[in-house]
Amino acid sequence: MTKQASIWEHSFSMIGTIITLTLVLSLVSCSIRPYQGPDDILYTGVKDITFAGGERNEHTEIAKAAAEERFNYAPNNSIFGSASYRWPLPLVGPWIHLNYASDSTWLGRWAHRAFGSKPIWIRDVNPALRSRVTERVLAEFGYLNAQVTHEIHPNKSDSLEAKISYHVNFGSLYRIDTMEYLPTFTLKDSLKLVHREQSVLKPGRLFTHDVLHNDRIEVSSKLREYGYYYFRPEYIQYEADTMNRSDATVHLRSRLIDGVNPEALKPWRIRNINLRFLDNDDRSQNLLADTVHINSNILAYYNGRLPLRLKILDSRLRMRPDSLFKQSKADLTLKSLSNLGTFSGIELLYNPVEVDNPSEHTERQLDLSIMMRQDRLWEVSLEALFKLKSTEFVGPGLRFVLDRKNLFGGGEVLSTAIYGSYEWQTDRSPISNFSSTLNSYQIGAEAALTFPTLLFPGQLDRFYRYPANTTFKLSGQKLNRAHFYGLSSFGLSYNYDFTPQEGHSHSITPLSISYNQLSDITDSFAEILRNNPSLILSMQDQLVPQMGYTYTWEQAVGRSRSHQLWVRSGISQAGNIINATSMLLGHEYNKTKQLLGLPYAQFIKGTSELRYTYKIDRNQKLATRLFLGAVYAYGNVKQAPYLEQFYIGGANSLRAFTVRSLGPGRYKPKEGTIYTFIDRVGETKLEMNMEYRGRLVGNLEGAVFVDAGNVWLLRPDPDKPGSSLGEIENFSQWLDQIAVGTGVGLRYDLNYLVIRCDVGLGLHLPYQTERKGWYNIPRLGDALGIHLAIGYPF
């Protein structure tokens, strides 16, 4: 280096130091004191929230969460929305706001828009009002004599800044002692609504707003189900007497409010139903020139072409002329029409039919008009995304989607898409001593036709209470894995998805055919294939004709919402029907047969996943997952396709290890290279995860997790010693082949998505290493796995 270059380097270093010091001093000197009046006390956050009294149960925890929601007001520059903690230099935003809010220059407006924030004063927070509101909220939870107080704590070094603390004394939790019910309603014929028998209000029940609200809704819903269209929940009021009671109980009386419209206490019947199909133009409401009868007393008004087929309309209209008004039928009608995805807005309007000289026994009638504003038939979207995949590959991608709605007049959607992405692998193997620099690109196109019904004899155009779809999909894509190979795939599938009742979902795939073609093989990868016969079989060009079924169940366990259980199990098979047909035609069972000139896969595959979440309290959860899977290939090709086999590791699996860095079994490649992960797949999989999640500050959560599992082959492979289940001699050996890792993580909830960062630490490898004992990680630094991902792992 020359002397002149050294002088220039020194000069730039000095200039950079001066600029840095100037910026730091400018930020530190930011003060809003000149702008503060004597009553302008800057709010710097919540000091603490304390609770006293209250029962130890889930009800009290929910009440605490409701109280904290009223108290948690974020100060300027809060950390992740926290009400108590702020980032360094919290006054920069308010200082910029106060200096540049009225600035007319371009730079001043930009600085204010980009960095300014209005200072939050104590008077803006209004802690006295928040305390009173919280007392009313706690009264709705049954704490009628709850007391909430607050205290302002001025900053000792600056009296014009202050924090707020809140103290909640729950007092007694009130319960119902005695109850007076509504009079009996006659619904129809001899059927009656007896409030005493139907009501959730019973002696000993908690006296809470939700209990009263649910009782109102229950009574109103029952009446509206039997024609009482004009009856509303707010027509019922409750009177509570707590006078002269020292045992935290109330005497409750329910009654109708004074001045209820007599028409609300009579049943109503539907007379005529008119459907009006409106265009996007608001003026079209009065220009509907065409009409058609859907059914007796059901008339449709439209222009030009009826948007929906007559059978679709007839099945979706759950309300019928000359029938009592039923709230459930009205809700189903609205829901079924909305699920078609054809209308941007739907409104049900009821008009009473005028009757001359009506008597007390005259039947009341309603005319129903259903106003449906048609949505745009074409929809275009362009999605730009930054991929974060469980395969440790990240990269930018684009997806262009074009949808044609209501293709055949039955709510069908034809969706076409083209997409592409470029990806690169970002981290090194936590065990092997090499850094991978793998790249790949992917391009593809797909077309899917979705029907909002089940295309099956006798099921077409039928109404379903819950979503039911039939989807035909055609797809093709090209994946290029740099240094390895190219993989082209084409697929055709036919799928039913339906939910017969809430919490129970079914997916049936009567037919799915995919064709995988390996191409652009590099010399290095060709060498790997020559040394690995099983890999050749799994990645060879072949057809995969499949059938499958998946069942999903999700529900809260028991009466408490603290326990959530989710189960998904699926089974699929490939090639069996074709192989049986070939045998009937005289072909040998064990001889490789072809379809359309290509060998076809034959296997059976089953997977099952169970997730259980326990909500400890309002700020803590314990989430667990168990995954089991197996695929068995036989007959035509005794090696399952590569994409149907299992692997372990990654952001949503064993987070201490990268994808395909473990298994199968206790198998370990002799040399660690960028190619070894291709071999590390298995035909069976066991994975167990447990994760504790707790709120740290604001919307930021912390997590501590433990992951365990591995994959195995079903048949011994001489090229992979120790990789199969059959080579395990006892339970102790099997247990020793379970890889284990732990770690910590952060989750930031943005409401619409969760950003996750996990740092995993390996504890146990399923094969022998230079370190003896259960903790056999050779080097601590090599046992770290860092993952950035979107969403929770499970």
Side-chain angles (χ1 to χ4, degrees):
M1 181 181 292
T2 65
K3 182 176 180 180
Q4 184 177 5
S6 178
I7 292 173
W8 277 107
E9 183 179 344
H10 181 70
S11 299
F12 280 118
S13 177
M14 289 290 293
I15 293 172
T17 303
I18 293 172
I19 293 174
T20 302
L21 288 174
T22 301
L23 289 173
V24 171
L25 290 174
S26 297
L27 292 174
V28 171
S29 63
C30 290
S31 173
I32 64 172
R33 179 61 65 86
Y35 302 93
Q36 284 184 264
D39 297 327
D40 293 335
I41 308 300
L42 185 70
Y43 170 68
T44 58
V46 174
K47 182 179 180 181
D48 55 46
I49 301 172
T50 59
F51 295 94
E55 301 179 3
R56 288 193 173 186
N57 52 33
E58 184 180 1
H59 177 78
T60 303
E61 288 297 320
I62 297 174
K64 287 181 179 179
E68 289 179 346
E69 186 177 347
R70 272 71 185 176
F71 300 146
N72 287 337
Y73 195 99
N76 290 111
N77 210 30
S78 70
I79 297 178
F80 300 118
S82 169
S84 302
Y85 301 100
R86 302 184 295 170
W87 293 108
L89 304 176
L91 298 183
V92 172
W95 182 83
I96 292 175
H97 171 82
L98 295 170
N99 275 275
Y100 295 102
S102 303
D103 197 300
S104 59
T105 66
W106 174 86
L107 184 60
R109 292 196 304 270
W110 173 81
H112 179 260
R113 184 171 58 252
F115 304 106
S117 60
K118 186 179 179 180
I120 301 174
W121 312 112
I122 290 290
R123 64 173 177 269
D124 297 326
V125 182
N126 200 343
L129 177 60
R130 289 180 180 276
S131 298
R132 293 196 299 272
V133 169
T134 305
E135 287 180 348
R136 291 198 291 269
V137 170
L138 293 176
E140 293 179 354
F141 281 89
Y143 296 100
L144 301 186
N145 53 6
Q147 294 182 341
V148 181
T149 58
H150 71 277
E151 186 178 356
I152 297 176
H153 303 272
N155 190 332
K156 293 181 180 179
S157 60
D158 188 347
S159 61
L160 293 183
E161 293 183 354
K163 288 183 174 290
I164 303 173
S165 63
Y166 297 92
H167 179 71
V168 178
N169 190 330
F170 281 103
S172 301
L173 179 58
Y174 277 72
R175 300 177 183 274
I176 299 172
D177 181 34
T178 54
M179 177 72 197
E180 295 182 27
Y181 296 95
L182 292 170
T184 299
F185 291 87
T186 300
L187 301 179
K188 66 174 185 178
D189 301 330
S190 59
L191 187 64
K192 298 181 183 298
L193 171 61
V194 182
H195 189 211
R196 180 185 298 275
E197 298 175 358
Q198 301 278 342
S199 178
V200 296
L201 302 175
K202 304 292 183 183
R205 189 73 185 265
L206 293 180
F207 178 66
T208 67
H209 174 269
D210 283 348
V211 172
L212 300 182
H213 175 73
N214 291 340
D215 184 68
R216 268 180 165 183
I217 296 297
E218 183 69 25
V219 173
S220 177
S221 299
K222 189 74 171 180
L223 291 173
R224 288 172 62 83
E225 194 66 10
Y226 285 90
Y228 289 74
Y229 167 73
Y230 287 102
F231 195 91
R232 299 292 182 268
E234 53 268 25
Y235 291 166
I236 302 174
Q237 70 177 18
Y238 302 94
E239 298 174 350
D241 182 9
T242 59
M243 298 294 292
N244 302 320
R245 290 176 177 269
S246 59
D247 55 354
T249 61
V250 300
H251 170 71
L252 191 62
R253 179 188 304 111
S254 59
R255 69 181 189 88
L256 299 178
I257 63 173
D258 296 330
V260 175
N261 188 335
E263 301 300 329
L265 303 178
K266 296 181 175 65
W268 290 75
R269 185 175 293 273
I270 301 297
R271 187 181 69 168
N272 297 321
I273 299 178
N274 295 322
L275 310 179
R276 297 184 179 273
F277 296 97
L278 310 178
D279 297 330
N280 289 318
D281 186 357
D282 292 334
R283 294 173 299 175
S284 67
Q285 180 170 348
N286 299 319
L287 301 175
L288 301 178
D290 301 315
T291 60
V292 63
H293 279 278
I294 307 299
N295 207 322
S296 176
N297 293 337
I298 302 179
L299 189 62
Y301 295 83
Y302 61 99
N303 278 327
R305 177 175 175 268
L306 191 66
L308 296 173
R309 298 193 302 272
L310 295 182
K311 287 185 178 180
I312 285 284
L313 285 172
D314 192 40
S315 65
R316 261 57 179 181
L317 295 177
R318 310 313 295 166
M319 305 181 72
R320 291 295 175 183
D322 196 32
S323 64
L324 279 177
F325 168 83
K326 283 182 174 289
Q327 184 63 56
S328 62
K329 297 293 186 181
D331 293 341
L332 282 176
T333 297
L334 182 61
K335 181 179 178 181
S336 63
L337 291 172
S338 298
N339 286 343
L340 292 174
T342 305
F343 307 105
S344 59
I346 302 174
E347 187 177 5
L348 275 61
L349 302 176
Y350 300 88
N351 296 308
V353 179
E354 295 185 4
V355 179
D356 296 332
N357 302 319
S359 67
E360 182 180 350
H361 301 289
T362 301
E363 186 177 54
R364 270 60 174 176
Q365 291 184 315
L366 297 167
D367 282 340
L368 169 61
S369 294
I370 304 179
M371 318 295 287
M372 291 167 281
R373 188 166 301 281
Q374 299 180 59
D375 201 358
R376 292 182 176 86
L377 294 180
W378 292 94
E379 186 174 281
V380 179
S381 63
L382 180 63
E383 303 173 4
L385 65 157
F386 187 83
K387 288 193 174 183
L388 294 161
K389 299 172 61 179
S390 62
T391 53
E392 302 306 310
F393 276 80
V394 301
L398 283 175
R399 182 180 177 89
F400 176 80
V401 182
L402 177 64
D403 291 337
R404 171 54 162 94
K405 301 179 181 178
N406 199 32
L407 185 63
F408 304 124
E412 305 85 2
V413 177
L414 175 63
S415 179
T416 57
I418 56 176
Y419 56 88
S421 64
Y422 180 81
E423 305 170 322
W424 61 91
Q425 189 163 330
T426 58
D427 65 348
R428 65 195 296 274
S429 169
I431 303 302
S432 303
N433 294 318
F434 67 91
S435 297
S436 56
T437 55
L438 304 178
N439 301 276
S440 70
Y441 69 82
Q442 180 179 353
I443 56 175
E446 63 184 34
L449 179 59
T450 301
F451 296 81
T453 186
L454 299 182
L455 293 185
F456 198 78
Q459 304 297 312
L460 185 63
D461 292 342
R462 179 182 170 184
F463 166 74
Y464 297 92
R465 182 181 297 267
Y466 298 100
N469 297 311
T470 303
T471 302
F472 296 90
K473 186 175 181 180
L474 180 66
S475 63
Q477 66 175 8
K478 168 75 172 182
L479 172 67
N480 179 273
R481 184 64 59 83
H483 310 305
F484 289 93
Y485 54 84
L487 181 64
S488 300
S489 63
F490 305 92
L492 171 66
S493 64
Y494 171 33
N495 202 75
Y496 295 114
D497 295 289
F498 58 98
T499 303
Q501 62 185 60
E502 188 174 0
H504 300 264
S505 300
H506 304 266
S507 179
I508 300 175
T509 304
L511 177 64
S512 173
I513 300 177
S514 61
Y515 166 58
N516 302 321
Q517 182 183 46
L518 195 63
S519 62
D520 305 325
I521 300 174
T522 64
D523 293 339
S524 300
F525 189 65
E527 180 67 23
I528 295 174
L529 291 178
R530 283 192 292 270
N531 296 328
N532 196 329
S534 63
L535 189 60
I536 295 176
L537 288 175
S538 66
M539 299 191 74
Q540 68 178 336
D541 298 351
Q542 61 180 313
L543 286 174
V544 184
Q546 278 187 272
M547 299 174 63
Y549 167 73
T550 302
Y551 169 72
T552 305
W553 178 70
E554 181 176 11
Q555 191 171 320
V557 180
R559 298 175 58 185
S560 174
R561 292 291 175 179
S562 295
H563 305 269
Q564 294 287 334
L565 187 62
W566 181 92
V567 179
R568 172 172 290 170
S569 296
I571 186 169
S572 62
Q573 66 85 26
N576 292 318
I577 296 177
I578 298 175
N579 201 57
T581 304
S582 298
M583 290 176 61
L584 291 176
L585 296 176
H587 295 282
E588 296 181 17
Y589 177 76
N590 290 319
K591 184 179 179 180
T592 300
K593 296 169 283 295
Q594 294 185 341
L595 178 67
L596 302 177
L598 290 167
Y600 55 86
Q602 187 178 3
F603 62 83
I604 186 168
K605 182 178 181 179
T607 61
S608 188
E609 183 176 0
L610 183 148
R611 301 179 186 180
Y612 167 71
T613 303
Y614 171 58
K615 184 178 180 182
I616 301 171
D617 57 32
R618 64 192 185 282
N619 294 318
Q620 302 178 91
K621 288 182 179 179
L622 184 65
T624 61
R625 174 175 64 177
L626 172 64
F627 181 91
L628 298 170
V631 55
Y632 179 67
Y634 54 93
N636 203 48
V637 178
K638 294 186 178 180
Q639 186 72 36
Y642 187 77
L643 296 179
E644 295 292 338
Q645 298 186 50
F646 302 99
Y647 60 87
I648 205 157
N652 297 318
S653 182
L654 270 67
R655 285 160 281 184
F657 311 99
T658 54
V659 173
R660 297 186 178 95
S661 61
L662 300 171
R666 57 180 174 84
Y667 168 69
K668 179 185 178 184
K670 295 179 180 179
E671 296 181 1
T673 70
I674 60 176
Y675 305 104
T676 55
F677 81 93
I678 296 178
D679 262 349
R680 316 201 79 163
V681 292
E683 296 165 323
T684 61
K685 178 178 177 178
L686 168 67
E687 183 178 323
M688 300 169 287
N689 312 87
M690 178 178 292
E691 179 172 287
Y692 165 81
R693 301 167 185 165
R695 189 171 302 280
L696 296 178
V697 55
N699 295 324
L700 184 68
E701 283 186 346
V704 179
F705 56 83
V706 177
D707 304 320
N710 203 347
V711 294
W712 294 268
L713 298 179
L714 291 175
R715 300 181 180 96
D717 186 339
D719 297 321
K720 301 176 185 177
S723 61
S724 69
L725 288 173
E727 295 172 85
I728 300 175
E729 297 180 357
N730 50 53
F731 178 75
S732 178
Q733 284 190 7
W734 175 81
L735 199 62
D736 197 50
Q737 292 185 20
I738 301 294
V740 180
T742 186
V744 296
L746 294 174
R747 291 94 173 86
Y748 182 49
D749 189 352
L750 295 174
N751 293 324
Y752 55 91
L753 61 85
V754 174
I755 299 175
R756 171 167 57 94
C757 179
D758 287 326
V759 179
L761 176 66
L763 298 178
H764 178 73
L765 291 169
Y767 51 81
Q768 292 183 356
T769 68
E770 58 195 56
R771 180 186 290 271
K772 302 299 181 181
W774 184 81
Y775 178 77
N776 60 354
I777 306 295
R779 292 166 299 275
L780 180 64
D782 289 336
L784 291 176
I786 302 175
H787 305 279
L788 180 65
I790 301 297
Y792 289 104
F794 51 89

